[in-house]
Amino acid sequence: MSSSHFTFSIYFLTFALFLQTIFGASPLFHFCSSSENFTTNDPYESNLKKLLGNLYYQTPLLGFGLGSVGSYPYQTNGLALCRGDVATTDCKTCVNEASNEIHKLCPYNKGTIIWYDNCLVKYLNKDFFGQIDNQNKFYMWNLRNVSYPTTFNEKTRKLLSLLAKEASFTPKLYAVGELELGESKKLYGLAQCTRDLSNSDCFKCLDGAIRELPRCCNGKEGGRVVGGSCNIRYEIYPFVNS
């Protein structure tokens, strides 16, 4: 959704222990296109169903899928991405649920994006592949403050910056890691990009997300900057599968 339909930067508040289950999980957030729609039995509807079906079967194998169906003016382009540690079966479940839920939330919109804890699904009637999505974005943060914010913020940026570099040079464009905080405490982090981005654009996207942390998360025990092309997250507890 690189067009003007999605121009909102949403501040989304969450608790640290934001509990979700794979089955029946609620989406973290979504955006619907505000102006371009299709109608029932429109060729775009048929192409969209085919696209989402393709993503359902394609994505779980590698954790990422993308494709296009149809031709102008009824072409639809889409991708799906699962978090890098998510098992194949859980990835498939998440993509299926995201596809069904976005149909309910944005039934006739030509452009949508929906995020779950384990995956995202995005489609649009314009070719957006290989472009950093700076429009679709939201933040989540822990309500609890740390007792040493300056030092904690520095360590958070250090960890996420290291992970951004690592993620941008791995085939999955995904990296997780941890950093000692002292007193037997650790900081855990994640950085991930959609795999339509180049290595350099992945790093650029992640670096931009890190720079936005002060908008939401200074001194917070946990936080996320979640976008249509990349996302970063840090917590003081483990949150990925080992």
Side-chain angles (χ1 to χ4, degrees):
M1 266 73 29
S2 55
S3 66
S4 60
H5 305 312
F6 299 93
T7 57
F8 304 103
S9 183
I10 302 297
Y11 291 81
F12 189 65
L13 187 62
T14 188
F15 291 96
L17 299 178
F18 185 83
L19 301 181
Q20 293 201 0
T21 58
I22 298 296
F23 301 100
S26 299
L28 300 178
F29 212 81
H30 76 279
F31 289 108
C32 302
S33 171
S34 60
S35 61
E36 294 193 61
N37 300 312
F38 61 88
T39 58
T40 302
N41 298 322
D42 187 299
Y44 190 87
E45 181 180 39
S46 176
N47 290 337
L48 179 58
K49 288 181 179 179
K50 291 178 182 178
L51 173 67
L52 293 176
N54 292 344
L55 293 177
Y56 171 72
Y57 287 106
Q58 179 186 6
T59 306
L61 296 175
L62 298 174
F64 177 72
L66 82 169
S68 302
V69 175
S71 57
Y72 182 83
Y74 304 111
Q75 184 178 39
T76 180
N77 311 280
L79 63 78
L81 174 71
C82 287
R83 204 175 69 196
D85 64 308
V86 172
T88 300
T89 53
D90 292 340
C91 177
K92 192 172 186 177
T93 298
C94 189
V95 172
N96 182 57
E97 185 159 337
S99 299
N100 291 333
E101 188 67 18
I102 201 64
H103 179 69
K104 299 174 185 176
L105 295 170
C106 311
Y108 297 108
N109 295 116
K110 288 189 175 182
T112 70
I113 183 169
I114 187 168
W115 293 268
Y116 281 74
D117 209 34
N118 282 350
C119 71
L120 74 83
V121 172
K122 173 182 177 180
Y123 60 82
L124 186 63
N125 62 328
K126 297 178 178 65
D127 184 359
F128 62 86
F129 301 142
Q131 304 172 38
I132 299 175
D133 181 353
N134 289 313
Q135 301 300 315
N136 300 296
K137 189 178 301 177
F138 67 98
Y139 310 115
M140 300 175 70
W141 62 89
N142 192 318
L143 289 175
R144 304 175 83 175
N145 295 313
V146 298
S147 55
Y148 43 97
T150 301
T151 302
F152 185 82
N153 291 339
E154 291 175 354
K155 290 189 175 183
T156 297
R157 285 191 293 270
K158 178 181 179 181
L159 174 60
L160 292 175
S161 294
L162 290 172
L163 294 178
K165 292 179 182 178
E166 181 180 343
S168 64
F169 285 102
T170 62
K172 292 175 66 174
L173 300 185
Y174 166 82
V176 293
E178 57 189 56
L179 188 68
E180 295 287 343
L181 291 176
E183 298 181 356
S184 301
K185 295 181 180 180
K186 291 183 178 181
L187 179 68
Y188 301 86
L190 173 151
Q192 184 172 22
C193 297
T194 57
R195 288 181 231 167
D196 59 314
L197 295 187
S198 65
N199 298 98
S200 59
D201 279 344
C202 175
F203 179 76
K204 182 178 179 182
C205 185
L206 292 170
D207 185 58
I210 294 169
R211 293 175 185 273
E212 292 196 43
L213 280 174
R215 289 189 171 193
C216 63
C217 309
N218 268 351
K220 301 298 183 181
E221 288 187 357
R224 307 189 205 185
V225 177
V226 186
S229 293
C230 70
N231 74 93
I232 57 170
R233 180 180 179 183
Y234 73 91
E235 306 285 356
I236 58 171
Y237 59 87
F239 59 89
V240 297
N241 300 311
S242 55

